[in-house]
Structure formats: structure tokens, C-alpha cells
Amino acid sequence: MYNILDFGAVADGKTLATKAIQSAIDACHQNGGGRVLIPAGTYLTGSVFLRSNVELHLAHAARLIASTDLADYNADDAYEQNYGVPFEEWLGKHLIMAIECNNVSLTGTGEIDASGDFFFEEPKFYPYHQWMSGFGWRNGISYAKDKKLLRPGQVVCFIESTNVTVKDITIQNSPSWSLFLHGCVQVNVTGLKVFNTCYFGNTDGIDIDCCQFVTVSDCHIETGDDCITFRCASQRLKNPRPCEYVTVSNCVLSCEASAFRVGVGYGEIRHIRVSNVTIKKAGTGINYITSYAGRGRAEIEDVNFSNVSLYNVSYPIAIAGDVGSVRRITLENIRAYALAQARLSATGECEISDVTLRNVDLILLRDEEELTERRRQKRGEHMLEAHGVKDLTLRDVHVLASPDQRALWISSFSHTDCEGLSVKDCKLD
């Protein structure tokens, strides 16, 4: 056991403890590994690097506070795979990093406060974001307060590491993504809690990017952007790999953007199962998207969802792309209370094929806001709409709405250019 107090840390929330924490981690690693303890108390820190065979443990009532001075964070070239996204106003500066480590853990019932409120501006209404009819960013959205210095990036990063464990910790007040897993193998995330302000942009919960053999369970995420993403952005990795063999189960999610987002990058996302999930609120519940802002070409296959409840969402299901592909997917035992349509749309060079919706209830809600022509266009005119989808199977799919609500739509179900459509035991009138 390596207690950071023995290495000079002071639990006053004011004295920078970066050196003490890093010294304890390094000593633990050099002596063959073990646990580094952050005991009860409040500790101010900048960037620290985890090492192989080290468990960083935040005890109950332990609190790490991220420094608000960007000089206390890692350099941009701290590791080869590092990056920031200036047009989203965040940098390649992080709080806790594990780079090419083996047997590395972040555990405990303590919390990490990443000081996002210091770096974000007051929320504003940007026209670009008002496409999301309904619950997405209804309070506006915030970006970096300082447009020159910007803000830190992902809070906790595991990069090309193996045998990774994240258990029971709380991450809150993030300035960007909360937990980033990039190019990792054998990952277990259990009992993670993420609480970020609803209008903080880019504050994803868990981003699983080009990782293999990942289990995520029993997590509670409430955030201002996507909750959980599956990505295939392999360009910066030393050893590019698909994102595959992932399970997510028994989670409660709430966000302004997508509760689940499948697809960012140029590569493959496949063999993923999501089950037993409750989505409390989301702009889009389940979102397959093969490219973003004109970038990316994801090839998505065998990414399936079952036993999902969605409440207070705009778009319950969205499958879309103009490049790449979405193939062999099943969504079953889904119940969604939604403001906007479920949409499956392949355009351009995109292929969407062999899609099954089974035992799906779409229950359309009445929006409290005025249904302007712009909002109507973004919401859609058909409650369930499919375009350009090959071999689409609908079994026990029910689209439900009150008579006065139904009058606000052209139809319950519309399909165009859908070769091999099969509909059975559905209520779509």
C-alpha cells in the first residue's frame, strides 16, 4: 500500500498534490505493483500518469479536484497518440492517463471533480444545435469560456492498455469526455458514476474507441453530451484495431445528445451487445451514424440492443449515413416515449441492410413547445420512417399516439426504396 500522504500530499484542496500522487504511483510501479491509496480528504492535482500493475484507489470520501491552471497539465506531445479538437474548443490535456500499460486500475468510491465549471462559458443557444427537436440542449449549450486557451480534454484516458479496470468511482463536472478508452484490450468498467452539467458540450460519459473485449455494467451517467459511444477512430493508434466484442448492461443514462452513439471514425464497429438499460432522457436514444460533420466512414455490423426503456427522448432510434454501412443489427424489446420520429435512412454510398425491429413500442408524446415549421421538418412527418434500407424486418412493432397527437403527423409509417421489407403483427396505422 502506497499512501499519497506519505509522499507529501496535503488534504486541503489547495496545495497541489500532483508530485506526491505521481511519486507514489512511480514507487509502486518500480516495486512490482500494488495499490496507491488516496485517503479521505480533498486533493488538488494536475496531470498524473498511471503505470503498469498499479491500482489507483480513491477511498470513500476522497476527492480529487482538477487544477484550473492549464500549466499543471501534460504537454501536447506527452504521448504519441494524444490529440485535442480545437474546433470543439478542447485540448489534449488530461487529468489521469494510462499509456500502453498492463494491469492498471482506477477504483474506489471516491470522486474526481474535473473543474469543468471553471472552463465553460454560460450556456447559449446556437442555431446549429437547434436541429434536435425536443430535449437536446433546451437550456442552451456551453463551450470554452476562454476562446484562446480553450479547456482540457478527456478527464481519464486509457490508451492502448491491456487488462484495464475502472470500478465504483464518480467523475463529475468534466470539461470534456469523462472516460476515454482508446485501443485497449480486456477492459472492465463497473459501477462508474458520471454527473456533468446538462449544457456542458462534449462531456461524454464513456467513449469506447477501437477497443476489444470490453464489459460495462451497473453504471449511472447523466451528462451534457453522449452517454456511451462506440467509435472506430484508429488513425492515431500504434496498433489499429476494430471496436469489437463489447457488452453493456444494467445502466441508467440521461443526456442531451445520444444515449448511445455508434460510429465515429474510419474503421469497423462490430459484435456489440447492449441490454437491460433505462434511458431517462436523451436527444437521440439509440443512434447509429456512419460519419459526422463530413468526416468518417464507419462499417457497423452486428451491434444489437435489447431490453431498453426510453423516456423523454426526441428521436428514439436513428440509423443514418451517406457513406459506410450498417448491417445485421437487431433492436428488440424496446419501449420508447418520444417526441420525434424513429428514422432509418441510407443515402449516397451508404448501405443499411438486414435490420430487425422486434417487439418495439414507439409512444409519441406531445411537445410542450410550439410545433413550428422548422421543428416539424426536423421532427419528421412520419412517426416511423425508412428509406433505402434493404431487408428490413418489422415484427410486433407498435406505433402509438393519442388521436389529437396522431393528427399532427402525416402517417405512422412511411417507407421508400426499401427492398425486401417484411412486416408482421405490427400496429402501424
Side-chain angles (χ1 to χ4, degrees):
M1 179 83 70
Y2 296 79
N3 190 323
I4 64 169
L5 295 177
D6 297 332
F7 292 80
V10 179
D12 61 2
K14 300 177 181 179
T15 305
L16 198 63
T18 311
K19 184 177 179 180
I21 297 170
Q22 190 65 64
S23 296
I25 291 170
D26 292 345
C28 181
H29 169 69
Q30 290 163 8
N31 290 321
R35 172 179 283 188
V36 172
L37 175 66
I38 299 179
T42 301
Y43 306 89
L44 179 68
T45 185
S47 297
V48 295
F49 290 82
L50 298 180
R51 308 296 188 199
S52 293
N53 304 313
V54 172
E55 173 193 0
L56 182 62
H57 183 81
L58 281 70
H60 191 67
R63 188 165 178 247
L64 282 183
I65 298 180
S67 173
T68 58
D69 186 347
L70 291 173
D72 293 330
Y73 289 79
N74 61 281
D76 291 342
D77 61 354
Y79 55 96
E80 186 175 328
Q81 303 93 329
N82 193 28
Y83 71 96
V85 181
F87 84 86
E88 291 185 347
E89 301 182 1
W90 55 268
L91 305 166
K93 297 183 180 297
H94 319 286
L95 195 67
I96 298 175
M97 292 159 281
I99 314 302
E100 300 175 42
C101 293
N102 185 39
N103 299 326
V104 61
S105 303
L106 179 60
T107 68
T109 55
E111 67 181 46
I112 298 169
D113 185 322
S115 298
D117 53 355
F118 176 85
F119 294 101
F120 278 108
E121 64 185 348
E122 290 298 311
K124 299 177 182 178
F125 288 93
Y126 292 86
Y128 172 79
H129 293 293
Q130 300 315 303
W131 62 271
M132 193 175 288
S133 169
F135 292 96
W137 295 302
R138 278 195 168 182
N139 297 307
I141 189 170
S142 296
Y143 292 110
K145 184 189 307 180
D146 191 317
K147 302 302 182 183
K148 293 182 178 179
L149 295 178
L150 307 184
R151 55 192 159 106
Q154 300 99 334
V155 179
V156 177
C157 303
F158 292 88
I159 310 298
E160 297 201 69
S161 295
T162 58
N163 298 322
V164 172
T165 298
V166 178
K167 184 177 181 182
D168 294 336
I169 66 165
T170 297
I171 302 174
Q172 63 184 22
N173 197 16
S174 302
S176 185
W177 309 355
S178 302
L179 173 62
F180 182 36
L181 304 162
H182 199 190
C184 295
V185 179
Q186 298 289 355
V187 179
N188 177 253
V189 180
T190 306
L192 172 69
K193 291 168 282 296
V194 176
F195 302 117
N196 294 324
T197 301
C198 66
Y199 49 78
F200 285 179
N202 312 119
T203 53
D204 295 4
I206 305 172
D207 291 87
I208 303 168
D209 197 342
C210 300
C211 294
Q212 295 173 311
F213 310 110
V214 179
T215 60
V216 176
S217 67
D218 307 294
C219 296
H220 180 187
I221 299 172
E222 300 199 13
T223 192
D225 215 291
D226 302 328
C227 283
I228 298 176
T229 74
F230 308 112
R231 302 164 48 95
C232 56
S234 62
Q235 304 92 306
R236 295 179 179 85
L237 294 175
K238 294 181 180 179
N239 297 290
R241 64 181 78 246
C243 186
E244 61 183 354
Y245 306 117
V246 180
T247 67
V248 177
S249 62
N250 303 332
C251 295
V252 178
L253 310 176
S254 179
C255 68
E256 300 295 301
S258 300
F260 288 95
R261 181 171 172 176
V262 186
V264 171
Y266 298 83
E268 297 170 305
I269 302 171
R270 61 196 185 194
H271 312 321
I272 293 174
R273 297 292 184 273
V274 177
S275 63
N276 301 336
V277 172
T278 295
I279 298 170
K280 174 184 167 186
K281 172 186 173 185
T284 304
I286 300 170
N287 187 12
Y288 297 77
I289 183 167
T290 60
S291 65
Y292 170 65
R295 297 174 291 122
R297 187 187 183 99
E299 308 291 342
I300 302 166
E301 180 178 0
D302 190 35
V303 178
N304 303 322
F305 290 78
S306 64
N307 302 328
V308 180
S309 297
L310 304 95
Y311 305 94
N312 300 323
V313 301
S314 292
Y315 304 98
I317 299 166
I319 305 174
D322 56 8
V323 295
S325 62
V326 181
R327 293 179 247 184
R328 288 182 279 281
I329 66 169
T330 298
L331 296 94
E332 61 182 346
N333 301 332
I334 311 287
R335 173 164 288 187
Y337 294 83
L339 293 176
Q341 68 178 185
R343 178 185 300 161
L344 296 69
S345 178
T347 59
E349 301 175 11
C350 182
E351 176 190 344
I352 299 178
S353 63
D354 195 4
V355 176
T356 298
L357 303 185
R358 182 185 299 117
N359 192 23
V360 174
D361 290 345
L362 303 177
I363 302 154
L364 275 299
L365 303 174
R366 186 178 187 89
D367 196 345
E368 295 178 357
E369 294 192 9
E370 179 185 359
L371 185 61
T372 63
E373 184 58 31
R374 174 177 171 78
R375 290 176 66 81
R376 182 189 295 271
Q377 290 175 1
K378 297 302 181 182
R379 177 205 70 171
E381 295 284 17
H382 309 279
M383 299 176 187
L384 171 61
E385 183 171 3
H387 171 75
V389 182
K390 298 178 182 178
D391 298 322
L392 172 61
T393 299
L394 305 182
R395 292 287 184 270
D396 292 300
V397 175
H398 302 148
V399 178
L400 308 171
S402 63
D404 64 326
Q405 181 65 5
R406 193 174 290 273
L408 300 175
W409 299 79
I410 291 178
S411 74
S412 296
F413 178 46
S414 172
H415 58 90
T416 55
D417 195 23
C418 290
E419 178 183 335
L421 174 65
S422 174
V423 179
K424 185 177 180 181
D425 298 326
C426 295
K427 183 176 181 180
L428 300 171
D429 2 281

